[in-house]
Amino acid sequence: MEIINRQEALLTNYEVYKVLKEEDDRHKAIKTTTKTKYPENVTTLKFEALQYLNGTACTTQSADQIALLKSQLLEYDLTKAEILQIINLRPKAPVELHLIIEECGERFAIEDLEELLELILATLPHNDDSDAADANADGDGETEPRDNANSSNMDVDNLSGDL
Amino acid sequence: MFVLVVLQDTLKIIPSEFTKSREDALKDEINSKYANRVLHDIGLCIHAHDLLEVDEGFVQHSEGWIWVKVKFRMIVFRPFKEEILVGRIRSASPMGIQVSMGFFDDIDISADQMPSGSEFNSTEGVWVWRYEGSELFMDLDEPVRFRVLDSNFLDVSPPRPKIGDVDSVPASHPPPYSLTCSIKDDGLGLLSWWE
């Protein structure tokens, strides 16, 4: 084995979710026709990683949404890592933005941050939004996966890599 | 938290895999070799992303399978420094807490990276953060937001039994890849604290 490039690109959770979901569907399709068994390390990791990602905001995202948000965030002068984390974590409160954005207090005014939060919530709608208003109804972070994550056929190769 | 890593390897496709397309057979072989494996200084391999270059392959004398040299991209779990992640509390001890992300368990938050005013409650077996007169318990299995401070790779060779001591297998060996993390900042810690 040879390592050609240690880090070609950063991936959003959405991109990983999509690959694993496709693979999961392929495995299920093969299982119905043949008796092919996949090695345990593959199936276990796939199951656990999908389970984790199902609890994050990426389940309802699409390539269009992420591309749109990326272009909208241009005017805020954020770094690549900051944009990636905004997409992955989908911050809902100013305190989360302060964690993600370095020296947030110096770079942004309070109004800017609120505008930014509204933008993020509007561009990346998620099914826990109704609960978000009354704060902690969604405390356990469990969200039902939706099917529309795969609805877009746009090629998102290196979506975050080109940030 | 995930990165794409370009790797090159020579893999074999055994005859029973010939019914699959070349691409699927190779991806399956890559996954069975690399999935859930830590590469030193690279991270935890999750899944093959795509194939970049595949040569025509060759059959060696007296073998029935094809060796194919392939250049591919791997999805690897390797959070960067200062990244904010969410996991669940797996266990707690006076030394600190361990957090799990389901597919990755070796996340350590030591006692000195707890919010100031926290202490270990030995009767309950959990950490408690005393904040403005209220006691906030860090119960097991609660979702927790943390910051990655450092990633540690350890070159672990397979455990080797000592000569003449056939039965002894080391009970636990250190993880090849672990993350040192912190919850000592506003917004970090249990998600329910900040809602």
Side-chain angles (χ1 to χ4, degrees):
Chain A
M1 184 208 71
E2 206 182 319
I3 293 148
I4 310 283
N5 188 347
R6 193 170 171 268
Q7 180 166 321
E8 178 154 283
L10 292 164
L11 289 173
T12 59
N13 286 359
Y14 165 73
E15 287 162 289
V16 177
Y17 179 74
K18 200 167 159 250
V19 170
L20 290 175
K21 197 94 191 37
E22 270 170 21
E23 183 71 0
D24 198 43
D25 293 341
R26 191 173 71 91
H27 281 197
K28 276 180 192 153
I30 289 175
K31 236 184 191 169
T32 53
T33 51
T34 61
K35 278 185 193 155
T36 318
K37 275 230 167 134
Y38 283 94
E40 211 175 311
N41 62 330
V42 181
T43 49
T44 309
L45 186 77
K46 180 166 62 67
F47 174 77
E48 288 175 342
L50 272 175
Q51 199 176 39
Y52 178 80
L53 290 172
N54 270 330
T56 67
C58 75
T59 47
T60 52
Q61 291 173 357
S62 73
D64 302 340
Q65 282 178 4
I66 294 174
L68 178 66
L69 184 67
K70 232 174 71 186
S71 62
Q72 286 169 334
L73 290 178
L74 279 179
E75 58 170 302
Y76 285 92
D77 194 26
L78 295 161
T79 66
K80 216 166 147 178
E82 286 161 356
I83 295 175
L84 179 74
Q85 291 186 82
I86 286 177
I87 295 169
N88 281 349
L89 297 167
R90 193 176 170 272
K92 280 185 271 186
V95 69
E96 294 179 53
L97 280 179
H98 277 272
L99 283 176
I100 296 169
I101 302 171
E102 229 175 302
E103 285 165 5
C104 187
E106 287 156 44
R107 283 164 62 192
F108 297 98
I110 294 171
E111 300 82 50
D112 288 343
L113 292 178
E114 270 166 15
E115 205 180 279
L116 185 58
L117 281 176
E118 274 174 34
L119 182 76
I120 296 164
L121 294 197
T123 314
L124 301 177
H126 193 63
N127 45 359
D128 62 356
D129 274 351
S130 49
D131 304 340
D134 50 65
N136 48 14
D138 192 53
D140 62 355
E142 291 287 336
T143 45
E144 285 298 312
R146 280 190 191 167
D147 290 335
N148 62 354
N150 277 329
S151 59
S152 165
N153 292 322
M154 195 178 121
D155 186 20
V156 281
D157 234 12
N158 286 338
L159 193 65
S160 48
D162 304 333
L163 279 174
Chain B
M1 97 174 112
F2 298 107
V3 293
L4 266 187
V5 176
V6 183
L7 299 172
Q8 185 169 285
D9 203 353
T10 306
L11 300 161
K12 72 175 176 189
I13 305 177
I14 56 172
S16 62
E17 303 277 293
F18 289 172
T19 50
K20 295 179 188 168
S21 73
R22 180 63 62 91
E23 193 187 336
D24 281 351
L26 281 171
K27 275 191 180 173
D28 285 345
E29 182 61 26
I30 290 168
N31 287 330
S32 60
K33 180 168 176 186
Y34 288 96
N36 215 357
R37 180 175 154 194
V38 170
L39 296 179
H40 193 68
D41 271 345
I42 298 295
L44 175 73
C45 294
I46 304 287
H47 207 278
H49 187 272
D50 54 358
L51 307 178
L52 297 179
E53 280 170 34
V54 179
D55 81 349
E56 56 194 357
F58 55 92
V59 179
Q60 280 192 333
H61 174 63
S62 82
E63 290 180 349
W65 47 82
I66 317 173
W67 289 96
V68 184
K69 192 170 166 188
V70 54
K71 200 185 203 182
F72 57 96
R73 296 198 291 183
M74 193 81 201
I75 299 172
V76 171
F77 173 75
R78 187 180 73 229
F80 49 85
K81 263 184 198 171
E82 303 292 308
E83 184 163 1
I84 307 293
L85 297 172
V86 176
R88 278 171 195 273
I89 299 178
R90 185 163 65 101
S91 62
S93 74
M95 313 283 287
I97 57 174
Q98 281 74 49
V99 177
S100 165
M101 292 177 73
F103 58 95
F104 186 77
D105 285 339
D106 299 306
I107 301 166
D108 301 313
I109 300 168
S110 62
D112 60 324
Q113 295 298 341
M114 293 290 186
S116 55
S118 319
E119 60 175 32
F120 185 68
N121 182 331
S122 48
T123 44
E124 300 277 343
V126 294
W127 278 77
V128 185
W129 182 30
R130 292 182 209 289
Y131 179 72
E132 289 182 352
S134 53
E135 288 193 334
L136 299 164
F137 284 82
M138 300 181 214
D139 288 328
L140 299 189
D141 213 33
E142 283 290 318
V144 60
R145 190 186 293 129
F146 54 92
R147 185 195 298 278
V148 177
L149 298 180
D150 212 354
S151 39
N152 325 296
F153 285 97
L154 190 72
D155 205 350
V156 278
S157 348
R160 196 174 294 182
K162 289 192 184 105
I163 298 166
D165 188 4
V166 193
D167 297 326
S168 90
V169 176
S172 68
H173 26 110
Y177 178 39
S178 61
L179 296 172
T180 310
C181 300
S182 167
I183 54 170
K184 195 170 63 177
D185 213 344
D186 284 351
L188 297 176
L190 262 58
L191 296 191
S192 52
W193 296 348
W194 303 100
E195 276 171 345

